[in-house]
Amino acid sequence: MAIVAAPTPSSAPVVEPSERSGDLGMPERGALVDRWRYPDDGGRDRRLDLLRGYALAAMAINHFGLSQSYLHEASGRSGFLISAAEAFLFISGFTLGFITIGRTPEQATTRLAARTWTVYLATVGISLGLGLVALTTHFQLWGELEAGSFAGVWAWIGQVRVLRTAFNGADILIAYVLYLAVAIGALRLMTAGRTWVVVAATVGAYTLSQLAPTESVTFGFASFRALLPNTPLFFGGLVIGYHRHRIAAAWNAVPFRRALDGVIVAVGIGLAWLHSDDWAGWEWLGERVAGPERTEPLGLREVEMPVVPLLIVFLYLRIAWLIADLLWRPLRRSLGWFLLPLGAASLFPFTMRLVAVPIESNLPWWPDDDIGRWAATGWVVLYLAVIYGAVLCRRRVLDWLR
């Protein structure tokens, strides 16, 4: 199916009943499904907030350490076939495309340029601010400060400003900043009816990353994740989000779509079972998915993202969307109080966790890594509570300022 640009009137398009907000071809409703499924209210799609909130919480847990905690069972410990960071990249691209429908090219690029500048300042500010703390105090921070490897502190600051080095986990944000910067041009093309250019560029960048040596396509940026191999995640989400109504209409025209979703879920369960069993009997597949030793699926995806792992990531993204839609009400009642504020704030909790880790780990009563599971869980809960409390305080302040 050829992808055609979404309409660009000055006001947002009317969403027909068959084009639920953000709906990517869900199964038809039934009596049981109606009780749990996401309601069609035509407003902000809270499923995106829920999934993004989970991704942010999982990243926060994985980066905190104390991996023996019970909460790490829910985060995947960065060892599953999809990571929270990959889900976050896709959801960020999808949401960006989602909110651009109905905007002119000028409106879309102006809004995104401001967003990109904000994320850039946060990235540089974390490195410089906490780098200053590391230079002037004895605090234990995340990673080693590399200022001494450059010709003086000013040279290090210059490298931080151009995103060629980072400190205290700020390298996690660098890929996001660069994708947002490129998306300014991509959205201008898409709102002008040239989505095919964005699709062709994304496919070309990914193909180049699979054919060229890894070191030749890094561009010298200090991103924790290789840029070109992971472009399908962000820009694939961008295109799908912008054309979601057309894609949903095409999917709903497929007569066997519910059976296909069932197959996707079954394959996802099967792959998870094989992964937990060290790919016994399927070693050849495990090597393609998790590397030669079948123990580093995340490392393989961060650096190379081969075709098979990429397809598996998209498979689990579809499963996550089905879960968020079909089990919306029980998920909202049980976890929504925590995940929805995180997902709605997005960038703020993303950066807050980079600040919260060194604060908590420098407390005088910080435990050793060999503490028990319940004690480790308690520390992780305290850490998440700091982030959650900061999100709520920020929301209160913003409401007061309005």
Side-chain angles (χ1 to χ4, degrees):
M1 182 190 71
I3 296 180
V4 183
T8 59
S10 57
S11 60
V14 176
V15 179
E16 299 296 335
S18 62
E19 296 179 335
R20 299 172 60 234
S21 180
D23 194 346
L24 295 185
M26 295 295 113
E28 288 85 353
R29 291 176 181 263
L32 177 62
V33 174
D34 271 339
R35 293 202 296 267
W36 285 359
R37 192 177 176 184
Y38 183 78
D40 181 11
D41 56 11
R44 179 187 179 102
D45 196 324
R46 302 291 280 166
R47 290 170 295 185
L48 293 172
D49 291 333
L50 185 78
L51 292 173
R52 184 164 46 195
Y54 171 75
L56 288 165
M59 282 189 286
I61 292 169
N62 289 335
H63 293 156
F64 186 65
L66 299 180
S67 60
Q68 68 269 37
S69 82
Y70 287 105
L71 288 177
H72 279 78
E73 303 295 340
S75 72
R77 290 189 173 86
S78 298
F80 192 54
L81 304 177
I82 181 175
S83 71
E86 289 154 355
F88 182 84
L89 279 178
F90 178 84
I91 295 169
S92 297
F94 181 93
T95 305
L96 186 58
F98 183 102
I99 64 176
T100 302
I101 289 183
R103 299 181 184 275
T104 65
E106 292 74 19
Q107 290 172 331
T109 53
T110 300
R111 180 188 179 102
L112 182 54
R115 174 72 170 177
T116 304
W117 179 245
T118 299
V119 179
Y120 169 79
L121 291 178
T123 304
V124 173
I126 289 171
S127 288
L128 295 182
L130 292 178
L132 178 63
V133 172
L135 287 172
T136 57
T137 70
H138 297 290
F139 280 3
Q140 301 276 337
L141 297 179
W142 189 356
E144 296 294 330
L145 185 63
E146 298 178 352
S149 63
F150 297 96
V153 173
W154 290 109
W156 176 75
I157 292 175
Q159 292 293 304
V160 169
R161 290 175 59 189
V162 296
L163 307 180
R164 294 190 177 270
T165 191
F167 180 57
N168 199 72
D171 56 329
I172 297 171
L173 280 167
I174 289 178
Y176 189 36
V177 175
L178 296 172
Y179 286 151
L180 286 176
V182 176
I184 295 174
L187 280 181
R188 194 166 187 88
L189 288 167
M190 291 167 64
T191 53
R194 297 186 176 90
T195 297
W196 67 270
V197 177
V198 178
V199 174
T202 301
V203 172
Y206 178 73
T207 302
L208 177 63
S209 74
Q210 300 303 298
L211 298 178
T214 302
E215 60 274 9
S216 67
V217 292
T218 57
F219 308 113
F221 292 107
S223 170
F224 83 107
R225 182 175 288 272
L227 298 172
L228 293 188
N230 288 273
T231 50
L233 291 176
F234 184 86
F235 290 97
L238 186 73
V239 171
I240 294 172
Y242 188 70
H243 294 282
R244 69 191 185 281
H245 298 316
R246 296 181 184 276
I247 294 173
W251 175 256
N252 287 331
V254 177
F256 52 87
R257 59 190 177 280
R258 285 181 290 176
L260 184 56
D261 272 333
V263 171
I264 288 173
V265 172
V267 171
I269 294 172
L271 288 172
W273 179 270
L274 288 173
H275 183 59
S276 67
D277 198 31
D278 196 27
W279 303 94
W282 294 77
E283 288 80 3
W284 62 272
L285 180 59
E287 291 175 2
R288 298 192 66 181
V289 173
E293 303 298 324
R294 305 191 301 279
T295 57
E296 292 293 336
L298 179 60
L300 179 67
R301 297 196 307 272
E302 284 183 347
V303 177
E304 301 178 23
M305 189 61 84
V307 174
V308 172
L310 178 63
L311 293 177
I312 291 175
V313 168
F314 278 112
L315 178 140
Y316 280 109
L317 286 170
R318 176 60 180 176
I319 293 173
W321 185 260
L322 288 169
I323 292 172
D325 184 80
L326 299 177
L327 301 178
W328 165 256
R329 293 188 187 277
L331 288 173
R332 185 196 61 188
R333 289 169 183 166
S334 59
L335 299 172
W337 63 272
F338 177 67
L339 297 181
L340 289 174
L342 293 184
S346 187
L347 177 63
F348 183 74
F350 198 108
T351 54
M352 266 301 303
R353 66 191 175 87
L354 301 180
V355 178
V357 168
I359 290 176
E360 192 160 356
S361 60
N362 279 279
L363 293 173
W365 52 86
W366 175 251
D368 295 328
D369 288 340
D370 59 355
I371 61 174
R373 298 197 73 181
W374 281 111
T377 302
W379 276 99
V380 177
V381 168
L382 177 61
Y383 159 65
L384 292 176
V386 170
I387 298 174
Y388 182 68
V391 169
L392 296 184
C393 288
R394 173 182 176 270
R395 187 166 65 182
R396 290 284 184 90
V397 170
L398 291 178
D399 290 342
W400 179 76
L401 291 176
R402 295 191 187 101

